[in-house]
Amino acid sequence: MLGLLKKLFIRKKVQPLTGRDLNGRNNVGYPTMQISREIDKLVKPKFKSIKPVIDMYKDTLFFKWIPSVINDKLSDEQLAQLSGRNLQMVYLLLFRDMLRYLAEFVKIRNVPDNWPDLFAQEVLNCCNMLSDEDDKDVAKKQALFSCP
């Protein structure tokens, strides 16, 4: 009973974000969320039949593998210099390659055999990526990449 009361009445103090946390949010989080949303928008109307597989690939690549590698391998300085635009291109190319592997086994009716390439190009066309000059502008990045 005492444990339950402690959980109800004692709140943990929220720690302020560190510089690494802020750089991770701005340089990894916002670009990742934006490209993920663009893929979701494209999957619904055109690739509904393989949505579960695309979601699994996307979730694994975007929200597990790459963030884990970035967190483990990049120093604070490297993370601060990371380009969200370049990160999105890496995501997109790796995602396309994963879909190419899938395309060998899955044939989608009324869709050409090179659908992974078309899919990646359409995501790229829909994704309003920042230019190299704008990539360091956190306000522009926040407005572009955050949820509408």
Side-chain angles (χ1 to χ4, degrees), residues 39-106:
I39 288 172
D40 288 343
K41 286 184 211 172
L42 183 59
V43 167
K44 286 179 184 177
K46 296 185 179 183
F47 298 94
K48 200 174 214 173
S49 62
I50 59 168
K51 184 181 184 321
V53 176
I54 288 179
D55 285 346
M56 181 196 67
Y57 277 6
K58 183 183 62 137
D59 291 344
T60 302
L61 182 66
F62 293 4
F63 301 110
K64 291 180 186 168
W65 290 347
I66 290 183
S68 175
V69 168
I70 288 171
N71 194 43
D72 291 345
K73 303 296 180 193
L74 295 185
S75 68
D76 291 349
E77 296 79 27
Q78 290 171 320
L79 184 60
Q81 295 300 314
L82 187 64
S83 162
R85 179 174 182 259
N86 291 342
L87 180 71
Q88 285 184 327
M89 289 305 297
V90 168
Y91 275 134
L92 190 57
L93 294 173
L94 287 172
F95 194 70
R96 182 203 61 197
D97 290 345
M98 291 173 84
L99 293 179
R100 282 180 177 168
Y101 175 76
L102 177 66
E104 293 177 19
F105 304 105
V106 175

